């Protein structure tokens, strides 16, 4: 992966939460799919259909369940514990990998158009993320981008919906559905 790859940052956030959880005595293992594999196998190299190599043999119905982090284990142990830090992790932090997107959403009123142009491709790709919070934050960024830079967003929509690859068009329709369902989150 590239050093700024979002999947690498998600894995780092999982490791950070595991470490904090271990330090404060949680004792629950938070699972990340295929974390024991080498970095090359987890890399973000994509093959046909926009799916990583290690997800190619998995049916689409099971894909979202396979990619999810087990944050519920952390939340369950925090509610059963008297430790204030574990309760804070459960109620306030949740999933730190979406914090960067949430920060951009909160700063949207002061961001310049160039920043929105830089954010647009990343937010478009993260609309199909298995983590619901990340997908909703990405959808909010897309909708805010549509207000700030409508010509770029329209160009992206048209390009993706008229792509020659059918899988790309299907993913564009799925992303459009996520945007429609997130229209009240802004």
């Amino acid at each position: 992966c590239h050093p700024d790859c979002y999947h690498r940052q998600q894995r780092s956030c999982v490791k950070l939460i595991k470490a904090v959880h271990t330090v404060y005595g949680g004792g629950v293992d938070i699972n990340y799919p295929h974390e024991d594999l080498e970095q090359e196998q987890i890399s973000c190299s994509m093959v046909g259909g926009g799916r990583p190599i290690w997800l190619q043999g998995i049916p689409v119905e099971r894909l979202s369940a396979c990619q999810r982090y087990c944050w519920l284990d952390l939340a369950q142990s925090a509610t059963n514990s008297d430790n204030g830090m574990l309760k804070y992790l459960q109620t306030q932090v949740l999933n730190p990998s979406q914090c960067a997107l949430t920060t951009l959403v909160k700063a949207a009123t002061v961001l310049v158009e160039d920043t929105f142009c830089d954010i647009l491709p990343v937010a478009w790709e993260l609309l199909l993320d298995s983590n619901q919070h990340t997908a909703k934050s990405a959808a909010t960024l897309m909708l805010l981008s549509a207000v700030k830079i409508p010509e770029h967003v329209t160009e992206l929509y048209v390009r993706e919906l008229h792509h020659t690859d059918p899988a790309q068009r299907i993913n564009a329709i799925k992303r459009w559905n996520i945007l429609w369902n997130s229209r009240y989150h802004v």
Side-chain angles (χ1 to χ4, degrees):
C1 286
H2 188 270
D4 293 332
C5 174
Y6 195 77
H7 295 289
R8 177 179 283 198
Q9 292 175 3
Q10 284 179 331
R11 289 190 301 271
S12 296
C13 288
V14 168
K15 290 176 185 176
L16 175 68
I17 290 296
K18 278 184 176 182
V20 170
H21 199 353
T22 302
V23 166
Y24 287 98
V28 173
D29 187 26
I30 303 168
N31 298 320
Y32 181 76
H34 307 288
E35 71 181 351
D36 55 341
L37 297 177
E38 294 181 8
Q39 248 349 46
E40 292 82 27
Q41 290 175 323
I42 302 176
S43 74
C44 296
S45 60
M46 299 295 211
V47 292
R51 291 168 61 181
I53 294 171
W54 54 276
L55 290 176
Q56 282 302 311
I58 301 172
V60 176
E61 299 82 30
R62 295 186 48 213
L63 186 60
S64 61
C66 172
Q67 285 184 308
R68 287 192 187 137
Y69 308 111
C70 295
W71 297 103
L72 296 177
D73 293 341
L74 173 65
Q76 218 170 25
S77 70
T79 54
N80 296 336
S81 173
D82 292 332
N83 193 333
M85 179 57 79
L86 294 178
K87 287 183 180 180
Y88 175 75
L89 287 173
Q90 180 224 358
T91 59
Q92 302 297 319
V93 176
L94 296 176
N95 180 0
S97 64
Q98 64 150 2
C99 289
L101 295 174
T102 307
T103 303
L104 289 171
V105 167
K106 292 180 190 236
T109 57
V110 295
L111 293 178
V112 294
E113 291 181 2
D114 293 339
T115 307
F116 279 105
C117 290
D118 294 338
I119 297 169
L120 191 62
V122 175
W124 180 254
E125 291 300 320
L126 290 176
L127 282 173
L128 293 180
D129 195 76
S130 63
N131 185 343
Q132 183 181 5
H133 295 292
T134 303
K136 294 293 182 182
S137 296
T140 304
L141 277 174
M142 286 295 298
L143 294 170
L144 290 170
S145 297
V147 171
K148 291 275 193 167
I149 51 170
E151 61 279 348
H152 293 289
V153 175
T154 305
E155 177 187 328
L156 176 68
Y157 290 160
V158 170
R159 184 178 66 235
E160 291 292 321
L161 289 171
H162 289 78
H163 199 274
T164 57
D165 184 19
Q168 194 80 13
R169 291 193 304 264
I170 290 170
N171 284 338
I173 293 169
K174 287 179 183 177
R175 288 180 177 110
W176 185 259
N177 184 25
I178 292 169
L179 285 171
W180 178 255
N181 291 335
S182 303
R183 66 190 181 275
Y184 297 117
H185 288 224
V186 179

